[in-house]
Amino acid sequence: MAFLSDTLARVKPSPTIAVTTKAAELKAAGKDVIGLGAGEPDFDTPQNIKDAAKRAIDEGKTKYTAVDGIPELKKAICAKFERENGLKYAPNQITVGTGGKQILYNALMATCNPGDEVIIPAPYWVSYPDMVLLAGGTPVAVAAGIETQFKLTPEQLEAAITPKTKWFIFNSPSNPTGAGYTRAELRALCDVLLRHPQVWIMSDDMYEHLVFDGFEFTTPAQIEPALYDRTLTCNGVSKSYAMTGWRIGYAGGPAHLIKAMGTIQSQSTSNPSSVSQYAALEALNGPQDFLAPNRKLFERRRDLVVSMLNEAAGVTCPKPEGAFYVYPDISGCIGKTSAGGVKITDDEAFATALLEETGVAVVFGAAFGLSPNFRVSYATSEEVLTEACKRIQTFCAGLK
């Protein structure tokens, strides 16, 4: 009898966490390493949010809470959805979990049966397909390459839908590409979904506030009200409010789905941290004036990285609409040999040689389901980004 579950054979550890861990180990060993793998802002959590958490501790708000969120936070989330997205939800249509990942996981666990298909545009956040597999479903990756600016076309979505399709996972702006769908592009996808009433939409809006150049963020249920009753609109405080470690995600959706997700959560983690919930309450209800300058800073970093990477031999780096990632194409580097003698057979070999020979840690594209590419997180200072891009340019120039 095997000790470990067969489920483990269906999934793999997070490659982004593996890259970040490897970079930290090398740095601890005294190596000069620049880590561009982390998917979190380098800003500190705003002071008013930290103060709210301290008040919650001092006031003894450290006990168990309702399984899927305190009433005050659910009310604030309802207000946020109506204020920013034009979506009306009642508190029984809101769930709060331990980070955005748990929200997605709960929904998949509550709905997926063997044989159910989940359409996932590639490149995708590394956890999507593995969460589908853990839930017993079948991930269906659909490649959206550089020729469409990493965006799924209506024709591709239509072709991917079968009678077995249960969910379509939509992420805009995207991790790992930063690609954001315009209102017209999203409208076209919604038109396809209207023709397939068995397909539910899981919209991961985690990077909603990180959009550039006047880009207008929209979400599916906002674009097409007829999809409201089969859309789970997911978000959280991690990225926009620099609260990754606080672990608070949330979603709005049909009450029966929210109840089912609560059942999953009640028998897994139970409630999110009480203190984190009060911090998130302040994040949503408190001043939002820091969002614009943070966005401007990220925009400047994006422009720097895109410019410098496009100067690297064999690299093409599209300019994304949002998030804090770029996803350069390295087709021009494949098949060459690095200055250190490593044959660049694929993007994983590229990323490995780049780390070993220059100390720059990036995540290879195969981890996100589309090659040959790599992901850069530019959530660090312009000084660090400049040095990292110079090293990448030197590495690429040395390929023969």
Side-chain angles (χ1 to χ4, degrees), residues 348-379:
E348 184 172 5
F350 179 95
T352 300
L354 182 69
L355 177 58
E356 292 175 351
E357 296 181 28
T358 75
V360 175
V362 299
V363 187
F364 57 92
F368 304 102
L370 189 77
S371 297
N373 300 75
F374 64 91
R375 188 192 77 170
V376 165
S377 167
Y378 51 85

Side-chain angles (χ1 to χ4, degrees), residues 330-351:
I330 55 167
S331 298
C333 301
I334 303 301
K336 297 185 177 180
T337 302
S338 75
V342 176
K343 182 79 168 179
I344 308 301
T345 54
D346 54 25
D347 48 37
E348 184 172 5
F350 179 95

Side-chain angles (χ1 to χ4, degrees), residues 108-125:
L108 293 166
M109 287 295 293
T111 58
C112 284
N113 291 308
D116 288 345
E117 295 176 351
V118 178
I119 295 173
I120 306 171
Y124 44 67
W125 179 42

Side-chain angles (χ1 to χ4, degrees), residues 18 55 91 103 136 183 217 258 270 304 366 382 384:
R55 279 196 306 274
I103 295 296
R183 177 178 283 270
F217 171 84
I258 297 298
S270 196
L304 169 69
E382 291 181 33
V384 169

Side-chain angles (χ1 to χ4, degrees), residues 141-188:
V142 183
I146 194 170
E147 66 281 355
T148 61
Q149 296 293 297
F150 304 121
K151 300 178 197 179
L152 192 71
T153 67
E155 293 77 18
Q156 287 178 300
L157 177 58
E158 184 77 61
I161 294 174
T162 75
K164 295 181 179 180
T165 304
K166 179 162 279 184
W167 284 102
F168 167 51
I169 297 182
F170 178 74
N171 178 214
S172 171
S174 155
N175 175 5
T177 68
Y181 288 72
T182 65
R183 177 178 283 270
E185 289 166 340
L186 182 49
R187 172 75 261 172

Side-chain angles (χ1 to χ4, degrees), residues 10-190:
R10 298 201 298 266
V11 299
K12 56 187 180 299
S14 168
T16 53
I17 293 175
V19 167
T20 303
T21 302
K22 177 68 173 176
E25 289 172 353
L26 289 172
K27 191 173 286 189
K31 304 287 186 182
D32 177 18
V33 173
I34 299 175
L36 301 179
E40 62 181 346
D42 54 320
F43 311 132
D44 193 14
T45 303
Q47 190 61 46
N48 64 303
I49 297 173
K50 293 192 288 186
D51 289 342
K54 294 172 188 174
R55 279 196 306 274
I57 294 171
D58 291 340
E59 292 170 4
K61 295 175 178 175
T62 56
K63 308 297 185 185
Y64 292 132
T65 74
V67 165
D68 65 347
I70 57 175
E72 305 97 304
L73 181 53
K74 287 192 172 189
K75 183 179 177 182
I77 292 167
C78 288
K80 177 264 181 257
F81 276 131
E82 184 165 7
R83 179 178 69 244
E84 297 182 353
N85 310 113
L87 296 173
K88 289 190 176 183
Y89 292 110
N92 71 333
Q93 293 179 276
I94 300 296
T95 185
V96 182
T98 306
K101 183 180 285 190
Q102 185 179 31
I103 295 296
L104 306 176
Y105 182 76
N106 285 349
L108 293 166
M109 287 295 293
T111 58
C112 284
N113 291 308
D116 288 345
E117 295 176 351
V118 178
I119 295 173
I120 306 171
Y124 44 67
W125 179 42
V126 295
S127 294
Y128 291 149
D130 286 309
M131 287 193 289
V132 172
L133 290 166
L134 282 170
T138 301
V140 177
V142 183
I146 194 170
E147 66 281 355
T148 61
Q149 296 293 297
F150 304 121
K151 300 178 197 179
L152 192 71
T153 67
E155 293 77 18
Q156 287 178 300
L157 177 58
E158 184 77 61
I161 294 174
T162 75
K164 295 181 179 180
T165 304
K166 179 162 279 184
W167 284 102
F168 167 51
I169 297 182
F170 178 74
N171 178 214
S172 171
S174 155
N175 175 5
T177 68
Y181 288 72
T182 65
R183 177 178 283 270
E185 289 166 340
L186 182 49
R187 172 75 261 172
L189 294 180
C190 288

Side-chain angles (χ1 to χ4, degrees), residues 42 196 223 287 289 302 342 393:
D42 54 320
H196 300 276
I223 289 286
D289 53 348
R302 177 206 59 176
V342 176
Q393 288 174 349

